[in-house]
Amino acid sequence: MILHKLTSSPFKDLSLQHCLQRLGESDGVLLTQDAVYALIHQDIREKLNALSGKVFLLEEDADARGIEANGNVEIIDYEGFVELTLKFNKVVSW
Amino acid sequence: MILHKLTSSPFKDLSLQHCLQRLGESDGVLLTQDAVYALIHQDIREKLNALSGKVFLLEEDADARGIEANGNVEIIDYEGFVELTLKFNKVVSW
Amino acid sequence: MSSFTLLVTSAPFTEQNAYSAYRFALASVQAKHSVNGIFFYQSGTLNGSSLQLTPSNEFDLYAAWQGLANDYNVPLMVCVSAANRRGVTTAQEALDSDTPHFSLTPPFESVGLGELAVLMKNSDRLIQF
Amino acid sequence: MSSFTLLVTSAPFTEQNAYSAYRFALASVQAKHSVNGIFFYQSGTLNGSSLQLTPSNEFDLYAAWQGLANDYNVPLMVCVSAANRRGVTTAQEALDSDTPHFSLTPPFESVGLGELAVLMKNSDRLIQF
Amino acid sequence: MSDSISTIAIINQSAPYGTSHGQESLDMAMAMSNFGQDVSLFFIEDGVLQLLSKQAPENIDAKTYHKTFPALEFYDIDNIYVCKQSLKSRGIKVSELCIDITLIELHELPTLLACQQHVMSF
Amino acid sequence: MSDSISTIAIINQSAPYGTSHGQESLDMAMAMSNFGQDVSLFFIEDGVLQLLSKQAPENIDAKTYHKTFPALEFYDIDNIYVCKQSLKSRGIKVSELCIDITLIELHELPTLLACQQHVMSF
């Protein structure tokens, strides 16, 4: 029950790839800052779509960058971000 | 005649990959700082070996990290680094 | 009601992380959760520099941190060893090292890493930015 | 004899880049090349903070920059707008903004980006770190 | 090595907002042009994301610096090159960008940089 | 939420020297242990490079902090986990490391983190 918080673009570095390789059964992925560009990265987007219900997108960061949610990504704002960290047992920041 | 100066690990980010995709005929590649780990990255090492005579390794940074030169990589120290920037027409730092 | 410790390891302006931490902290206290403290480490200690001059048409994160401390009593703790090497020093530290100037003033406080251990022990979640 | 301008855009200690720039500058002047100036921009401006307190068993990059300026007359130019927002300010800038403290002192100088244009125009190579 | 102007290429390879690279690169470009240098801009990899019209950085209290790009022509910055492959791999159409640009192929970058005296990258 | 000690996992994913992450992560680990916390260290991806015996950071005036790793047992930090796949992809043998470690598989990381109260990463 770990929430993995991502901040960097998957076109730039490999942290999202490395995180997905080690994802536990009941873990979740939260895309913030430049990690919201994962939704326009074809390979990564397919991997995220396979994780239905476990992928979250920070609305403020996505809107700032002009990125729209697609697939089964759940959109949350900062208030939802706070609650999400409490639904999971702990948060790992990559 | 561009010297491409790299500083980050190819296991971490994609700057070396992106640089190699855009390499000109007479360009060179200089591995400094964490980019010296390129020599223990199997895929990248093969690509670099194909660029015989155009790949340079900064000795101080490699020694600091315990990385040894292999293949056709030319080892230079800071003095050689200075001269290398003058052999090429310009330097791009990635 | 849950309790948080935030660990901020990134410089202001240069990276978005410190701003994100501020937004998270604000959303937490507005939702009536308790933020036991914001702990600044590594480049995050630069958030504590009172010498930052933000252009008037840009968001002033330093003022925002001050507001969070004043309005919601959130402690702003800066790791002394990480801060000093980056030029973030208190009046006392400046005096001890014969430097005439300093940059860290309240509500930011200079503390050791032990304070982070205390914060974490009493928090439901540690969130790093 | 060739001439260089170095553009340093990375923070000291947190990243190795600023140190690498110093080593490159030193190797250049020792090989009788001329370093027209080191220009500090973005996080690189933090190199100019005189408030940095480096632990005695670690390399003091601030002192090394000072040595380079004193021994080889290499100008150390800090971009004023990038520096001010990061808490690197001169006595005059502090006075203008009613801040009692400041952090930038000679041999570092606070300049505008126009100085970089002049440096580059007169240099054979620009090397960014 | 003369009193004439320099030609300067500025490579933008970073996404906006996550770091200050984009905003400070634009500051640099305008300053260099103001001081009479001949500036060309290259947007490659995540740098192309800076040019999207549909951005709304006010959501994260960031400067809407992308609105300055259309004004670059008044700063005499006319050479704005964008990597075609970088747009394609991100699913971005030229019509989604906020300025007129010149599309270039991956391998054209070294050729175009060859004509420049100095190169910076952000 | 008690006066008892916390269990803290510190993930090291960065190469040494290029950034200060490695050195400041070790400072953090030792401080947390000194203040009575139960600290476990995880080395994954480029973090495993910090553990190489053959490093000589004096060449770049950096602190030889990797020589402190063998002393961690005296700080009561006994749980040191290293990702097997991260070593393998870098062609590193366990015998090249400067301390005794416990090898773990990729997928063991979430399981091991599950037992920890808090996680930091550097």
Side-chain angles (χ1 to χ4, degrees), chain E residues 24-37:
Chain E
E24 292 190 288
S25 173
L26 183 59
D27 288 346
M28 175 67 83
M30 294 195 296
M32 287 296 121
S33 187
N34 269 341
F35 288 101
Q37 311 304 298

Side-chain angles (χ1 to χ4, degrees), chain B residues 18-90:
Chain B
H18 294 158
C19 167
L20 291 176
Q21 284 170 4
R22 294 182 174 84
L23 208 64
E25 274 288 316
S26 49
D27 290 358
V29 174
L30 171 61
L31 305 174
T32 72
Q33 300 183 29
D34 291 345
V36 305
Y37 294 120
L39 300 185
I40 57 168
H41 189 296
Q42 207 176 336
D43 293 352
I44 299 271
R45 186 172 51 200
E46 281 169 24
K47 285 185 195 167
L48 293 175
N49 277 338
L51 296 170
S52 180
K54 296 177 185 171
V55 183
F56 305 88
L57 179 72
L58 187 60
E59 185 172 34
E60 286 85 345
D61 283 334
D63 287 351
R65 290 162 178 82
I67 295 297
E68 282 169 24
N70 54 41
N72 295 309
V73 173
E74 188 176 328
I75 304 173
I76 57 165
D77 59 9
Y78 268 98
E79 196 185 335
F81 179 6
V82 171
E83 297 313 315
L84 194 65
T85 65
L86 296 167
K87 279 181 200 145
F88 287 85
N89 293 330
K90 61 186 68 75

